[in-house]
Amino acid sequence: MRNYDSTRCVLVTGGAGFVGSHLCERLLACGHEVLCVDNLFTGSKRNIAHLLAHPRFEFLRHDVTFPLYVEVDEIWNLACPASPVHYQHDPVQTTKTSVIGAINMLGLAKRLRCRILQASTSEVYGDPSIHPQPEQYWGNVNCIGPRSCYDEGKRCAETLFFDYQRQHDVDIKVARIFNTYGPRMHPNDGRVVSNFIVQALQGSPITIYGEGQQTRSFCYVDDLIEGFLKLMAAPKGFTGPVNLGNPGEFTIRELAEKVIAMVGSKSTIQFLPLPADDPRQRKPDISQARAQLGWEPQIALDQGLQKTIAYFEALLSGKAG
Ligand code: NAD
Ligand code: UDP
């Protein structure tokens, strides 16, 4: 079996995005060669600017819906817009990215006989009727709504991962990521943490959709990356899907009030209509990650928000690196 402590050449699709750029950075720090593949749809060269000159880092602009012929030892498949505003902008392309992108990357893993990790999502649970959500829950997903391109695309990608494993013995790992936040989120990507922080820093109204009673569980990006590394290094027999997220659960209203207080902002709260199919509650059951990977998040929401606020403060004042 491959030694997952040794140096290897790794492919990160979506590597110029928010999570992908942190992953590339971390994999370089582990001593690996990193090939970052991204079509820059929601990612940006700014996210990886500090890595471009690194001798073990390479960037390739490429759309994963087209085949890719490279030689690597391991694949991390993150390519896919993650913010509802972005994935609903071109829903057909979103489904193609998840489904055709998965087929292309799984085909590559099959040819290279290498391990491949899929960045799946808590959205596979849809608007969940079981709380918190364990991996055994099959979900409650609308297949024809505005979020379906993302939810069903990611569900189909999971299906493909498990079929490639059963049919072709591909060495797979599937992580179901819950709302993750931190530096390098796009300031205009519409996700709640970046929206609230940017609005609070600019003194503009904090936009709460609905009454703000819906809940989310927020994981700081460094914790997620740690979970990723543990999952990729786990024995072949442990494929997941495994929930990676922070079980601390907050209403969106609580988040708004926290951000206003931490920024010391004069922003008011503005209530806007709730988007269609917006999940009412979300909180990961992470007992599997604890038991199988010895992983659990270490960074509390206040601590992570502090770092994220500092990032956006620097970005908005033009000082971010
Ligand atoms: P992001 O939008 O910042 O990053 C996605 C990256 O994929 C971007 O760099 C984008 O340009 C790239 N991309 C999109 N379509 C592509 C294509 N067809 N070909 C090549 N590159 C393409 O989002 P993120 O938050 O960093 O999310 C990364 C992954 O993690 C996604 O797969 C997402 O579904 C998953 N995820 C993230 C969260 C979260 O809260 N951040 C939660 C659940 C799942
Ligand atoms: N949300 C909000 N105001 C915003 C952005 C989002 O109230 O400016 C809400 C959104 O309706 C959802 C939650 O915050 O209930 C999380 O939204 P996000 O887009 O970050 O991710 P989701 O978990 O819905 O994919």
Side-chain angles (χ1 to χ4, degrees):
M1 210 193 96
R2 195 185 302 280
N3 174 7
Y4 276 90
D5 291 330
S6 63
T7 305
R8 48 200 188 273
C9 179
V10 305
L11 164 62
V12 180
T13 76
F18 156 54
V19 173
S21 62
H22 286 273
L23 179 63
C24 288
E25 203 173 86
R26 187 65 198 279
L27 291 167
L28 283 172
C30 294
H32 304 308
E33 299 248 345
V34 176
L35 172 59
C36 165
V37 164
D38 201 298
N39 69 350
L40 301 181
F41 173 52
T42 51
S44 92
K45 277 199 190 160
R46 188 220 302 255
N47 286 341
I48 49 167
H50 59 301
L51 307 177
L52 288 172
H54 195 293
R56 283 184 279 105
F57 183 80
E58 193 181 348
F59 172 68
L60 175 67
R61 191 191 287 225
H62 173 83
D63 182 328
V64 295
T65 62
F66 295 94
L68 178 67
Y69 297 95
V70 291
E71 307 301 313
V72 292
D73 301 316
E74 154 183 311
I75 303 170
W76 301 74
N77 190 36
L78 275 65
C80 186
S83 136
V85 173
H86 284 154
Y87 70 64
Q88 290 172 26
H89 170 74
D90 186 348
V92 173
Q93 174 68 10
T94 298
T95 303
K96 279 188 186 173
T97 294
S98 277
V99 176
I100 303 176
I103 291 172
N104 286 332
M105 291 309 117
L106 284 160
L108 185 60
K110 181 181 159 213
R111 174 174 69 81
L112 298 173
R113 305 206 62 76
C114 75
R115 186 165 282 190
I116 178 168
L117 179 143
Q118 167 69 356
S120 190
T121 169
S122 53
E123 287 283 326
V124 301
Y125 303 123
D127 186 9
S129 50
I130 289 185
H131 196 71
Q133 295 79 54
E135 291 84 353
Q136 296 74 21
Y137 177 49
W138 289 357
N140 174 34
V141 178
N142 177 1
C143 67
I144 55 168
R147 298 177 83 99
S148 311
C149 58
Y150 184 74
D151 299 11
E152 296 291 10
K154 289 285 190 178
R155 285 168 67 94
C156 184
E158 284 201 17
T159 305
L160 285 161
F161 267 68
F162 281 87
D163 281 336
Y164 268 77
Q165 188 226 15
R166 282 185 289 257
Q167 203 173 330
H168 302 296
D169 193 33
V170 171
D171 185 359
I172 62 159
K173 303 283 178 201
V174 176
R176 288 186 180 155
I177 306 166
F178 284 64
N179 297 64
T180 298
Y181 69 99
R184 297 198 207 117
M185 291 183 89
H186 196 289
N188 300 322
D189 83 357
R191 282 186 272 193
V192 69
V193 173
S194 44
N195 263 13
F196 285 4
I197 293 178
V198 170
Q199 290 162 345
L201 287 170
Q202 294 179 332
S204 45
I206 304 287
T207 54
I208 290 186
Y209 304 156
E211 289 169 10
Q213 290 311 305
Q214 68 273 40
T215 67
R216 292 294 185 274
S217 303
F218 301 101
C219 183
Y220 189 67
V221 64
D222 289 357
D223 278 333
L224 174 70
I225 300 296
E226 204 55 41
F228 263 14
L229 294 186
K230 290 196 167 190
L231 175 58
M232 195 54 130
K236 186 175 177 187
F238 183 70
T239 57
V242 61
N243 290 337
L244 294 180
N246 190 320
E249 185 185 10
F250 298 85
T251 66
I252 294 306
R253 176 143 201 163
E254 283 170 334
L255 178 72
E257 284 163 358
K258 206 179 251 303
V259 169
I260 291 174
M262 287 180 75
V263 169
S265 171
K266 293 194 167 56
S267 288
T268 54
I269 288 183
Q270 180 183 22
F271 292 95
L272 295 174
L274 191 66
D277 297 339
D278 200 283
R280 282 160 297 174
Q281 51 182 0
R282 184 181 289 157
K283 168 183 163 124
D285 175 337
I286 59 163
S287 20
Q288 247 207 90
R290 279 199 185 102
Q292 301 285 341
L293 307 175
W295 175 85
E296 65 183 325
Q298 304 296 320
I299 299 166
L301 183 58
D302 284 50
Q303 216 184 336
L305 283 178
Q306 233 157 38
K307 294 170 193 259
T308 314
I309 290 168
Y311 168 78
F312 279 112
E313 241 171 353
L315 185 79
L316 296 180
S317 64
K319 289 186 208 136

